[in-house]
């Protein structure tokens, strides 16, 4: 059942975010014409914070609808939303996550909401630093750094929450990170691409902050699951609700220029009014915004299901290997060619995934053996 659930989660994440990435690329790189003014030059949609607000609002509503759709009779609304949260999960996390010495403390709904709000702030801050870093570093540098995302996730778990992992987890993280890095670094050289060709210290610093915030987000989510009785869908609901409130305030209020977080400043207008004006003159963008938000919301259901049952390391392994599997799929479908070093990098990743699968299989077999021994003892009584 555990492996079947993991397979469903992986398939859902890959399918939803493959389409999500295609729509995101269209939104960021395709100019939209104004049907009321055929002679006017097409314009690009630049309201990133508005897009993030719509995305988080859709995701929050999707989580709420999913919770009510699966609501059992007699379940109160507070329990459904995860607010009747009095005791921590005993002896660590649910199956699939490592034990932690910090479990077992009493934790109420107020602590839960404060913790989730903190994670929403981390998540909302991470994206602007990532976008800002692209002005000062090359895109391949960004891709390579994102390929190593497992490292800051594990680091933040250890540093912030004193979490201990099984020895094989460190080996798996090292193999997957090495393999993805080789796959990216040893790709055949291409013509100069858009963006900065050199990586400045400022850009690398912004990228480092982005990775650390990502690591803090994922490790804090793990800590919440260990300290509270909350499902992945409930976490998704509250995280996106808080993120929506935060970004909605940012786009609705004419804020002054803030480096990285709000570099342009709003002046007398706001990003919300600018985005609505763009949609009014370029209605074709509305369909893409809706598709972008819908794919992201559905994908997040699979993401938080993975996070709840398998932990952040498994989730990040899925997300960082998505590009590799997409590239391999294109090799077989469109007959693209990979450099020998890329094949070696892919093999290293599969070795890491194989180690994780073998350990999971051994754990499953040992649990089955224990259950069979208990049944035999009961029959002999």
């Amino acid at each position: 059942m555990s492996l079947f659930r993991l397979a469903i989660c992986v398939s859902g994440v890959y399918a939803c975010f493959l389409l999500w990435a295609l729509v995101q690329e269209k939104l960021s790189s395709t100019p939209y014409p104004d049907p009321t003014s055929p002679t006017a030059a097409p314009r690009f949609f630049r309201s990133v914070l508005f897009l993030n607000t719509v995305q988080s609002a859709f995701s929050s509503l999707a989580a709420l609808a999913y919770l009510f759709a699966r609501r059992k009779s007699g379940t109160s609304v507070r329990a459904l939303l995860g607010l009747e949260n009095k005791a921590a999960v005993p002896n660590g996390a649910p199956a699939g996550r490592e034990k932690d010495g910090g479990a077992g403390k009493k934790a109420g709904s107020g602590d839960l909401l404060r913790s989730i709000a903190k994670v929403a702030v981390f998540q909302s801050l991470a994206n602007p630093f990532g976008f800002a870093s692209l002005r000062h570093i090359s895109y391949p540098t960004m891709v390579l750094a994102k390929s190593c995302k497992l490292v800051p996730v594990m680091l933040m778990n250890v540093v912030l929450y004193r979490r201990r992992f099984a020895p094989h987890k460190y080996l798996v993280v090292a193999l997957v990170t090495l393999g993805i890095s080789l796959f990216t670094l040893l790709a055949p050289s291409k013509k100069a691409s858009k963006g900065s060709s050199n990586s400045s210290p400022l850009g690398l610093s912004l990228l480092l902050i982005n990775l650390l915030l990502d690591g803090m987000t994922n490790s804090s989510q793990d800590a919440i699951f260990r300290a509270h009785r909350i499902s992945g869908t409930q976490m998704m609901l509250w995280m996106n609700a808080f993120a929506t409130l935060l970004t909605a305030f940012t786009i609705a209020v004419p804020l002054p220029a803030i480096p990285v977080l709000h570099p342009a400043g709003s002046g007398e207008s706001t990003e919300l009014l600018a985005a609505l004006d763009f949609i009014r003159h370029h209605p074709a963008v509305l369909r893409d915004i809706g598709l972008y938000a819908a794919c992201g919301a559905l994908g997040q259901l699979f993401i938080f299901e993975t996070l709840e049952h398998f932990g952040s390391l498994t989730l990040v392994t899925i997300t960082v290997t998505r590009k590799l599997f997409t590239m391999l799929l294109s090799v077989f479908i469109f007959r693209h060619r990979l450099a020998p070093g890329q094949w070696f990098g892919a093999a290293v990743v599969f070795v890491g995934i194989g180690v994780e699968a073998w350990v999971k299989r051994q754990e499953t077999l040992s649990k089955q053996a224990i259950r069979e021994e208990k049944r035999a003892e009961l029959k002999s009584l």
Side-chain angles (χ1 to χ4, degrees), residues 326-337:
T326 303
M327 293 269 298
L328 290 178
L329 186 63
S330 71
V331 167
F332 293 107
I333 294 178
F334 300 108
R335 306 295 180 184
H336 294 314
R337 292 184 178 181

Side-chain angles (χ1 to χ4, degrees), residues 78 83 85 107-116 228:
R78 283 182 59 83
L83 298 179
N85 191 5
S109 59
D111 292 330
L112 170 66
L113 294 180
R114 281 191 292 272
S115 298
I116 294 179
H228 301 268

Side-chain angles (χ1 to χ4, degrees), residues 15-351:
C16 292
F17 283 100
L18 178 60
L19 181 56
W20 179 86
L22 293 174
V23 179
Q24 182 188 45
E25 183 176 357
K26 182 180 179 182
L27 280 166
S28 62
S29 62
T30 303
Y32 291 87
D34 184 348
T36 62
S37 181
T39 58
R43 292 171 56 201
F44 291 93
F45 184 74
R46 299 300 189 193
S47 300
V48 177
L49 277 179
F50 175 83
L51 197 60
N52 289 344
T53 305
V54 175
Q55 165 78 86
S56 58
F58 261 65
S59 298
S60 184
L61 291 174
L64 187 63
Y66 185 77
L67 287 171
F68 274 97
R70 299 195 54 169
R71 182 183 186 181
K72 296 179 181 179
S73 59
T75 304
S76 67
V77 174
R78 283 182 59 83
L80 185 70
L81 300 181
L83 298 179
E84 287 185 0
N85 191 5
K86 300 299 182 184
V89 178
N91 299 322
R97 285 199 290 285
E98 295 70 15
K99 293 181 180 181
D100 183 90
K105 299 177 182 178
K106 293 290 182 179
S109 59
D111 292 330
L112 170 66
L113 294 180
R114 281 191 292 272
S115 298
I116 294 179
K118 179 180 69 175
V119 177
V121 172
F122 290 155
Q123 187 180 52
S124 300
L125 289 176
N127 288 334
F129 280 99
F131 282 119
S133 69
L134 277 175
R135 301 192 190 101
H136 308 282
I137 63 174
S138 62
Y139 185 72
T141 302
M142 165 71 86
V143 173
L144 177 60
K146 288 294 186 180
S147 301
C148 303
K149 187 179 175 182
L150 278 166
V151 175
V153 170
M154 177 172 274
L155 179 65
M156 289 297 104
N157 266 297
V158 172
V159 172
L160 295 181
Y161 300 104
R162 301 293 188 267
R163 191 175 178 192
R164 296 186 300 273
F165 292 93
H168 79 276
K169 286 286 187 182
Y170 297 95
L171 176 62
V172 170
V173 167
L175 288 173
V176 171
T177 300
L178 175 62
I180 295 290
S181 299
L182 289 173
F183 190 86
T184 304
L185 284 173
L186 300 179
S189 59
K190 298 179 181 180
K191 295 180 181 179
S193 57
K194 296 179 182 179
S196 175
S197 59
N198 298 315
S199 297
S200 69
L202 174 60
L204 294 174
S205 299
L206 293 171
L207 182 57
L208 177 61
I209 294 172
N210 170 260
L211 290 174
L212 290 176
L213 286 169
D214 279 343
M216 292 167 70
T217 298
N218 289 116
S219 60
S220 297
Q221 287 172 328
D222 272 349
I224 291 171
F225 279 122
R226 293 196 304 274
H228 301 268
R229 288 189 180 276
I230 182 174
S231 70
T233 313
Q234 290 165 341
M235 168 88 79
M236 174 180 168
L237 166 66
W238 290 110
M239 268 197 63
N240 282 285
F242 284 124
T244 301
L245 291 174
L246 183 62
T247 55
F249 173 80
T250 306
I251 65 174
V253 176
L255 297 174
I258 303 172
V260 178
L261 301 179
H262 200 258
S266 302
E268 295 181 358
S269 184
T270 64
E271 183 169 332
L272 175 61
L273 294 178
L276 294 177
D277 184 68
F278 186 96
I279 293 171
R280 184 167 61 87
H281 288 92
H282 309 82
V285 75
L286 193 58
R287 182 193 62 183
D288 291 334
I289 292 174
L291 187 58
Y292 173 87
C295 290
L298 183 58
Q300 280 198 41
L301 288 171
F302 290 106
I303 278 182
F304 280 93
E305 184 76 8
T306 305
L307 191 61
E308 176 188 357
H309 293 283
F310 302 100
S312 63
L313 281 184
T314 301
L315 173 61
V316 176
T317 301
I318 293 171
T319 57
V320 300
T321 55
R322 177 170 58 91
K323 181 190 173 188
L324 181 144
F325 285 110
T326 303
M327 293 269 298
L328 290 178
L329 186 63
S330 71
V331 167
F332 293 107
I333 294 178
F334 300 108
R335 306 295 180 184
H336 294 314
R337 292 184 178 181
L338 295 181
Q342 288 184 288
W343 284 112
F344 177 71
V348 171
V349 172
F350 282 115
V351 169

